[in-house]
Structures are given as structure tokens and as C-alpha cells.
Amino acid sequence: MKFIYVLEDDERIQKDLFETLKNIDSGLSIRFFLSLAEFHEWLKISVTEGPKALATGGRRFADDTSPDVTPANTHELRLVIAKNEFLGVQNMGLIKRAREFFLRKKMCSPQEPTALIITAFDSPDFDISLAEERIINNVIFKPFDKLILRQHLEFALSGHHPVSSTAVASMQISSTIEMLKEVELHGINEIGFSTVNNHEIRIGAMTKYYSESFTTDHKRSVLAYCHSCKEISPKEFLCEFLFFGADNQQLTQIRKTILTDKGHTLETVKNTLGNKTRILLLDEDVPLSIEMKTFLSERFENTEVFTYSNYGQMLSDLANKETPNRQELPAQFDMIFVNYADFEVEKQKKWEQIQQYLKDRCKTYNLEFSEPPDLYMISRKRLVTDEVKVLSTWVKEIFFTPLDKTYIFKKLLKTRTSLVNKTETTIAGHKDNSALKVANPVEITQISEAGLIMKYYREISIGAFREFVLWRPEELETPEIIGTVNYTEKDKGGGDYFLNHFVFFGMKDYYLKHIRLWLREAYIKTKEK
């Protein structure tokens, strides 16, 4: 016989749990304890009686009409549900000892140990992180969402196997979400940050990062790429990251926070050696073009800037065609700046066309075209993170208006040492121990309000915790959802992949609403394809 022990003194909660458990399996024997003291008394008896004590422990629910159960050594304690105030996160040591006791007394098997669920009210005093222990199957918040309650109880009762039925609808989908991993933040400066990692990071690797240090009134993440990585001790690497497509408000806030810290440091930057840097500037927005040309000419002593407001005229001049407005251009360019608006349609095709003209120009002058010049974009409109990330695969950097010239100046000096600055400048930085989480894109094949299936290159151990972000444009309102691995299997679809089944952990009403919105938007996207 499978027993469920419930430590709960609220009759309404007792009724919800009893009815839900009976709907899942009418043959379950459910017993209630109204206090931790009652449970302690039963533990004393079970020391000598073992599994036989399960039949006499606790009390029935008032509406329970199931027959009496005879004590037997074959009885199994399948699940313990405890309110946080009785046997919760503040009693983690007791929970661990109880779990070991159930195994030792053969009330459960090592293959299917007694599952434990904690129920709690969502309050500022409840720290979900304290419950992130492999021995706890889940935290279910009160008042219960009946379907979610049933689903998570089914997960707990089925053990580490896929459930045979689902109380909530799941969506079969091939989609990418973010899996978070906390990394050690070493420091932040005006153009990026540094971390300490236990492995080497590839130079140029682009990733999204979340931190309170990056949070503004509409954003809490940045895109950044690895600029340098050096080993500082065995299996310990200090990695420097530079922002990409940074939001101006974020840059202003970061700079202000650093400079108000009396302990901030200053890195002097003065590039002294560099050949003539030839820059091509294409921008139909004439005032912005003039502003950018003036900036590049005034801040650097070795730049030569050629501006165009007409795309066709620029291509014509690159091909040395005789036109009334022709400019005499150098054979090669080192940097190209363009306005995002001018490239909004068929962006990459335009860039490929410009590259072809540059290649042909090199042939004309018997020069080798080894690689295209770095391409920089300027945008008057704010872009979503996904688009910025796509641009990062072929654009060196994108700057937003109003131009943060301090940031652009320092970023260019750091990434192009051939640019010679007319005046010495400094990059301010400071130590920052804020939590920093890297967002790794992962593929999912199925998702519901209760969990997801993630396709991954390796198995993740049973009971392991991960945090996920189902990204929506309202980034500040997007929660970090905890999941725990309930089951893993080899992907039968081919390839060396595994399907890791996650159960969402400690789901709040707000999280459920967010998942429902994400599911609706994901469904719409699948129909649009």
C-alpha cells in the first residue's frame, strides 16, 4: 500500500490535498498530522515498527471512507507533504535525517525514495533558494492552482519517470529559451566587465548577461563578448568582456555608479602608434552624419573620413565612375559606419554588395583584399535584443542615438589600437560583487505550465536545479523560473543528444501568468511560419 503523509492543520488545505490525491489515485492511503509534535511521536514508534507503523500513523481526513489498512512490512511511504511552518526550509537538517530514516527503515527504496513537497504562502519571508535541495521535489504555493497542484503531485508520485497523463496541456514545440548560470563577477568598467571562470572562454564569444548592475527602468540584461581571457591560476581564468549594442541609459547608469564609488580605479588609454585610418561614412541622415564625422575627426589625429548621404553615389565612386558629385577615394578603407535605417531592408545583402565593390576596387589597384573593413552601425531606434544579437554576427558594433561619445571614444580606443587619440583619456572601473548570470540559449521540445523538456548535449543529473528565462519584451517583468530534473532519456530523434525533463519548482501565480503569455505568443509564431 502506498501511503501519503500530510503535515497540515488548515482544514481547507487538507481538503484540497485529499481530493486531489484521491482523484489521481483512489487507492492511496492518506494520513494527516496536525503538528510537528504528532509527527515526532510517530517517528518514535516507527523506529521499532518500521513500515508497519505507516498504517497507524496520523489521522484520516473527515471524508475518507476507505477501508482500514492492516500493518505490513510491504507498505511504502511514497510522499510527504508538509507546510513550511512545520517541516520547511528552516528544518532542512531534520528533513535530510527523516529522508535517510525512511530509507534505513525500508519505508521506501533507494530507486524510489520518499518524495517531499513543501507548501507555503508566497511572502517576503520565504526564501525559495533555501529549498533548492535535491531531496525536495517541489514547493507549491498557496492558495493552490488546482491543475498545477494535481500536475506536481503526479510528478512526485510517478518518481523519476515521465508521467502517464498530464493535468495541464503541453505544447510540442521546437524553440529556444535561456538557461541561466551564475558566474563570478570580478569588476565593471565603463565599456564592459570582467569575470572569473573555471574554464577558458573563446575570444569573441557573444552572450547575454543579467545583473542588477545593468538594470534600468526597461532593461536588466546586456550583450557582451569576450575580449581577453588569461589563466591566473590552475583552472581559473580572468576574462574581460566588452558590451555590444549597449543601451545608452545603461551606459549612463553604469558610469554614474562607478564614478560615485570613491574606490574606483582609472585605466589610462593613450594610443600613440597608428597609420592613417580611412573611414567611409554612409548616412542619409545628414545632421547625424555631420555629428559623427566631426566626432571622428576631432577625437582622433589619424582619421580621414569620407561621407555619403546617397548609397548609389557611394557605389559609383567606389567603382571610379565619372559623375558630377564624384569624390576621390583611397584604394582601401579600414572602417565603415552606416545608419541602421539605411540598411533596414536586406541588411546583409547591402553589406555583401559593398564588400564586392571593395574587392573589385582592390583589384583595380592591384591590392589584396584579405578581409573586409570593420562595419559599425548607428541607430536612432531601439532594437530588440534578438535582432542586436543577429547583427553581432557580421557587425563590429552598433551605437544608439543620442550618441554617447564618451563610450564610443573609449570603446574604439580599446578595440582599435591603431586609432591615435589626440588627448589622453581614462576608463573608470570598480569592484562589483553583484550576482551575474549568463544566459545560455537552449532548445526545448515540449513545454507546459508545469515543466519542459530540454534537448541538450549531455544528461543533467536527477534532482539538479536550473534557472530558465522565457524571454518577453517586458524584460523587467520576466521572471527567472526554477526547474529541477525529474527524468532524462536519450533523444530518439538522432544525434548525440539527451532529453532532460524539468519540473518547474516553486511556481507562483505571477510565473504561471507569464508562462501562459509566452505559450500564447509561441503558438502564434508557429502558426505564422
Side-chain angles (χ1 to χ4, degrees):
M1 177 65 71
K2 293 181 179 179
F3 281 84
I4 313 296
Y5 274 13
V6 182
L7 282 68
E8 177 62 67
D9 58 356
D10 186 314
E11 290 185 8
R12 291 172 300 175
I13 301 298
Q14 289 177 359
K15 185 174 186 293
D16 286 342
L17 291 170
F18 178 78
E19 291 177 349
T20 304
L21 286 164
K22 282 295 185 180
N23 282 332
I24 294 172
D25 184 351
S26 59
L28 294 172
S29 288
I30 305 166
R31 300 291 184 266
F32 290 87
F33 295 83
L34 304 187
S35 68
L36 187 57
E38 282 188 16
F39 187 64
H40 273 148
E41 289 302 314
W42 172 80
L43 285 173
K44 292 177 184 177
I45 296 170
S46 63
V47 169
T48 55
E49 295 189 9
K52 291 182 178 179
L54 290 169
T56 57
R59 61 189 75 193
R60 294 170 177 268
F61 186 66
D63 298 338
D64 190 353
T65 58
S66 57
D68 291 336
V69 178
T70 303
N73 284 323
T74 55
H75 293 329
E76 175 188 2
L77 182 56
R78 190 70 204 90
L79 171 64
V80 173
I81 305 172
K83 69 184 294 184
N84 184 55
E85 292 81 357
F86 285 178
L87 194 64
V89 294
Q90 73 279 10
N91 290 318
M92 197 60 68
L94 178 59
I95 292 172
K96 291 177 180 178
R97 291 195 298 275
R99 175 84 170 264
E100 292 166 0
F101 176 80
F102 300 149
L103 278 167
R104 194 166 61 251
K105 290 298 178 179
K106 294 183 171 50
M107 296 182 194
C108 60
S109 68
Q111 294 74 32
E112 296 291 349
T114 301
L116 174 64
I117 286 177
I118 292 175
T119 63
F121 286 100
D122 184 17
S123 72
D125 299 329
F126 183 79
D127 186 355
I128 188 71
S129 65
L130 298 177
E132 291 178 30
E133 292 275 355
R134 290 175 185 253
I135 61 171
I136 296 179
N137 288 66
N138 219 320
V139 173
I140 304 178
F141 286 107
K142 301 181 268 192
F144 299 133
D145 178 299
K146 294 295 181 64
L147 291 178
I148 295 298
L149 173 64
R150 175 173 180 142
Q151 185 68 82
H152 284 309
L153 290 177
E154 285 181 347
F155 279 135
L157 290 169
S158 66
H160 297 305
H161 308 283
V163 292
S164 57
S165 63
T166 56
V168 294
S170 61
M171 179 189 291
Q172 305 289 330
I173 186 173
S174 177
S175 185
T176 300
I177 64 172
E178 296 171 351
M179 182 168 70
L180 303 183
K181 179 184 178 182
E182 190 161 337
V183 294
E184 183 183 342
L185 181 59
H186 182 262
I188 295 180
N189 62 43
E190 294 177 81
I191 61 174
F193 58 91
S194 57
T195 64
V196 176
N197 300 271
N198 59 8
H199 63 280
E200 189 173 2
I201 295 181
R202 177 178 58 83
I203 302 299
M206 179 78 68
T207 321
K208 184 196 283 187
Y209 292 84
Y210 290 91
S211 175
E212 284 298 316
S213 296
F214 306 144
T215 303
T216 63
D217 59 7
H218 68 277
K219 243 186 146 183
R220 63 187 183 95
S221 70
V222 297
L223 283 176
Y225 60 93
C226 184
H227 180 66
S228 67
C229 184
K230 60 181 180 180
E231 190 171 11
I232 54 178
S233 65
K235 294 185 178 180
E236 191 173 45
F237 296 83
L238 179 62
C239 302
E240 179 188 13
F241 294 84
L242 299 181
F243 300 135
F244 182 90
D247 177 85
N248 283 358
Q249 189 178 348
Q250 286 178 309
L251 295 173
T252 301
Q253 180 175 295
I254 289 169
R255 187 183 299 123
K256 182 179 178 181
T257 301
I258 292 171
L259 295 177
T260 53
D261 177 5
K262 293 180 180 179
H264 74 265
T265 59
L266 297 174
E267 176 192 352
T268 301
V269 182
K270 181 65 176 83
N271 296 341
T272 56
L273 297 174
N275 296 323
K276 181 71 73 175
T277 300
R278 297 174 176 87
I279 301 172
L280 187 60
L281 176 56
L282 172 67
D283 197 335
E284 293 181 9
D285 186 335
V286 176
L288 185 57
S289 176
I290 294 172
E291 182 183 3
M292 195 66 196
K293 180 178 181 179
T294 303
F295 162 75
L296 291 169
S297 301
E298 289 181 349
R299 295 293 185 98
F300 304 101
E301 64 181 41
N302 64 330
T303 56
E304 187 176 7
V305 185
F306 300 83
T307 63
Y308 285 89
S309 60
N310 183 280
Y311 183 70
Q313 182 65 53
M314 181 193 73
L315 294 182
S316 176
D317 287 3
L318 286 174
N320 286 339
K321 292 183 179 179
E322 290 296 337
T323 60
N325 298 315
R326 179 183 172 185
Q327 293 186 63
E328 291 295 332
L329 300 178
Q332 291 179 310
F333 288 92
D334 305 293
M335 303 168 71
I336 296 180
F337 285 80
V338 298
N339 192 315
Y340 172 85
D342 299 337
F343 271 59
E344 195 158 6
V345 179
E346 296 186 324
K347 291 184 281 290
Q348 276 192 275
K349 282 189 177 180
K350 274 195 171 182
W351 177 228
E352 288 168 3
Q353 185 180 33
I354 291 173
Q355 289 182 77
Q356 188 58 54
Y357 270 75
L358 293 171
K359 284 181 184 178
D360 294 342
R361 187 171 180 80
C362 282
K363 287 181 182 178
T364 301
Y365 292 94
N366 295 318
L367 296 172
E368 182 183 352
F369 185 85
S370 56
E371 59 182 9
D374 289 335
L375 177 66
Y376 297 81
M377 277 190 175
I378 302 167
S379 177
R380 283 196 181 277
K381 81 172 188 177
R382 186 179 291 170
L383 306 179
V384 296
T385 303
D386 284 349
E387 184 173 2
V388 175
K389 193 165 186 179
V390 170
L391 287 172
S392 74
T393 59
W394 54 282
V395 174
K396 182 70 173 178
E397 177 61 282
I398 180 165
F399 303 115
F400 295 93
T401 59
L403 296 176
D404 187 331
K405 297 186 181 72
T406 299
Y407 171 74
I408 298 173
F409 181 50
K410 296 177 181 182
K411 182 73 183 292
L412 291 177
L413 286 173
K414 190 74 172 179
T415 55
R416 290 195 68 94
T417 56
S418 59
L419 284 172
V420 178
N421 43 321
K422 290 183 178 179
T423 58
E424 184 178 278
T425 189
T426 58
I427 298 175
H430 71 157
K431 292 285 185 181
D432 192 322
N433 296 319
S434 303
L436 179 69
K437 296 180 180 180
V438 57
N440 294 308
V442 292
E443 181 184 351
I444 59 171
T445 61
Q446 182 176 311
I447 186 171
S448 73
E449 295 167 24
L452 59 83
I453 299 176
M454 181 180 79
K455 184 177 178 179
Y456 205 48
Y457 70 94
R458 66 178 177 87
E459 284 184 290
I460 300 178
S461 59
I462 299 297
F465 287 86
R466 294 292 186 272
E467 286 182 309
F468 298 98
V469 169
L470 305 176
W471 193 87
R472 297 187 67 246
E474 299 79 14
E475 193 168 271
L476 294 188
E477 301 171 16
T478 301
E480 295 172 2
I481 298 172
I482 303 169
T484 179
V485 180
N486 185 60
Y487 178 70
T488 64
E489 61 181 322
K490 195 81 170 62
D491 181 19
K492 298 180 179 66
D496 195 17
Y497 292 97
F498 293 87
L499 299 179
N500 293 280
H501 296 237
F502 282 86
V503 175
F504 290 145
F505 187 89
M507 292 301 291
K508 304 177 183 180
D509 182 58
Y510 171 65
Y511 292 4
L512 293 173
K513 290 177 181 176
H514 176 82
I515 292 173
R516 288 163 190 157
L517 285 171
W518 190 90
L519 287 170
R520 184 183 68 184
E521 292 168 1
Y523 175 77
I524 293 171
K525 287 178 182 177
T526 59
K527 292 300 180 183
E528 291 174 347
K529 290 181 179 179

